[in-house]
Amino acid sequence: MSLISASILGVQGPVLTATEAAFFRDAAPWGFVLFARNVETPDQLRRLTADLRAAVGRDAPVFVDQEGGRVQRLRAPYWFEYAPPLDQAPHGAASFHLRGRMLAAELRAVGIDGNFAPCADLAWPETHPFLRSRCMGTTAAEVAANARALADGMLAGGVLPVVKHMPGHGRATQDSHLETPLIDQPRAVLDATDFAPFKALADLPLGMTAHIRLPFFGDRPATMNPAALAMMRDDWGFAGAIMTDDIGMGALTGAIRDRAAASVAAGCDLVLHCNDDIAGFSQAAEGAGALTGAALARCDRALAQRRAPESVDFAALAADLSAMTGSAAAHHA
């Protein structure tokens, strides 16, 4: 294995233990992901993100799910409470650019430089509740514009956006945390609707797959489906690094090592494994293998877009967002 594993791994608590640090030093994941279990205060988070990078001896990216609404790991009283994306969608792209700048300012201040957003899935009447409020609109054009603005705002603030869930999770009526959703629509219909925002965002640095089944691509979920990955690369022209959604989710089956290996074999560049013990994280890193060749080049290009954040007046941004959306959300310093 090279010095870097094609994996993004989680941490068990708010403090990096000596055992975890030793594991990460040997496993050498490309990046890390944080959850609410890792978040207490800004000072604690700054220590944790610094310790994670020290463990691998490089400026590894640290990611989080900070979409706003029901999926927001950093919350009040220390962080701004954002409205669900779908609630903000009618206020348009300019409001999402402000939101992106605000998200980036808060994340970079605690050493987090990657965000699993925008969620470019279309909201349909049948979209499962676990996802629907997280969508950024109900039409391909609306979602593409809002997602672009959010991504641009985060990039300006030094945070890498991760567009998800490719190729489009919106029509699923099942929760992929629990089972494998089936989206039984013709390819031509999806090309014109659910797939369209992702094609429009094909220049973004990072993308995340969906654990969904599309009958015209066979029985394998998209994360492990070479035909689905080829569509993203060849038909859409997605040039960024593609990571899996969490391979520990109930939509996938088999040992963690096998899930990781199958995802990389299908064309994913990176394997995301969020919730496990060291033995499980080790399986994910081993199954993902070394980050080499074209996958390494795509990951390097993504990191090259991680720039120093432009300075902002957070309170002014929050006031502008509130005026634009009519939101009564308050930031607690």
Side-chain angles (χ1 to χ4, degrees):
M1 184 177 288
S2 73
L3 292 178
I4 299 177
S5 158
S7 60
I8 300 170
L9 303 179
V11 191
Q12 291 179 318
V15 176
L16 184 68
T17 67
T19 302
E20 286 177 312
F23 164 69
F24 289 136
R25 186 165 52 248
D26 292 338
W30 182 72
F32 300 96
V33 57
L34 301 182
F35 283 82
R37 65 177 183 268
N38 308 120
V39 177
E40 292 179 342
T41 68
D43 285 343
Q44 167 268 327
L45 257 187
R46 279 188 283 271
R47 287 192 298 272
L48 177 58
T49 54
D51 289 346
L52 288 168
R53 293 185 170 107
V56 293
R58 56 187 154 79
D59 190 17
V62 178
F63 296 92
V64 72
D65 275 298
Q66 191 75 349
E67 299 174 7
R70 63 182 298 272
V71 178
Q72 180 171 331
R73 313 307 184 195
L74 284 63
R75 309 211 74 119
Y78 298 108
W79 293 281
F80 193 90
E81 289 286 338
Y82 296 88
L86 191 60
D87 290 354
Q88 188 175 320
H91 300 287
S95 76
F96 278 103
H97 190 271
L98 285 172
R99 182 181 178 120
R101 296 301 306 277
M102 292 169 63
L103 284 164
E106 292 191 299
L107 296 179
R108 278 298 293 251
V110 292
I112 297 170
D113 52 14
N115 189 12
F116 292 155
C119 184
D121 304 302
L122 264 65
W124 295 93
E126 67 268 26
T127 302
H128 192 282
F130 101 90
L131 180 64
R132 194 173 194 279
S133 69
R134 301 161 57 193
C135 300
M136 302 181 73
T138 58
T139 69
E142 180 186 30
V143 169
N146 288 340
R148 169 69 66 187
L150 184 75
D152 286 349
M154 288 193 291
L155 282 166
V159 169
L160 294 174
V162 181
V163 63
K164 63 186 186 185
H165 303 84
M166 297 162 54
H169 207 304
R171 291 181 189 263
T173 58
Q174 300 92 12
D175 182 350
S176 55
H177 293 87
L178 307 174
E179 57 186 323
T180 310
L182 172 67
I183 296 180
D184 195 4
Q185 291 287 332
R187 168 78 185 265
V189 170
L190 296 176
D191 278 336
T193 54
D194 296 63
F195 294 172
F198 296 100
K199 188 171 183 178
L201 299 166
D203 60 315
L204 289 183
L206 293 159
M208 178 186 289
T209 63
H211 301 327
I212 57 170
R213 281 202 304 121
L214 300 165
F216 50 84
F217 283 150
D219 290 334
R220 295 184 188 180
T223 300
M224 300 176 175
N225 194 310
L229 270 295
M231 176 182 69
M232 299 171 200
R233 292 283 184 216
D234 302 335
D235 297 352
W236 300 354
F238 192 88
I242 297 178
M243 67 180 69
T244 70
D245 201 348
D246 180 11
I247 63 166
M249 290 164 64
L252 305 182
T253 59
I256 292 297
R257 183 182 290 103
D258 295 337
R259 298 182 191 193
S263 300
V264 171
C268 292
D269 299 312
L270 295 160
V271 170
L272 174 66
H273 191 38
C274 298
N275 305 294
D276 214 330
D277 56 19
I278 286 178
F281 287 137
S282 180
Q283 280 197 39
E286 290 170 9
L291 187 57
T292 60
L296 176 59
R298 286 188 285 263
C299 289
D300 286 346
R301 285 198 300 270
L303 290 184
Q305 295 191 48
R306 184 180 55 171
R307 60 192 178 199
E310 301 169 13
S311 61
V312 294
D313 181 336
F314 189 92
L317 291 176
D320 288 346
L321 181 64
S322 180
M324 189 175 293
T325 63
S327 169
H331 179 256
H332 302 269

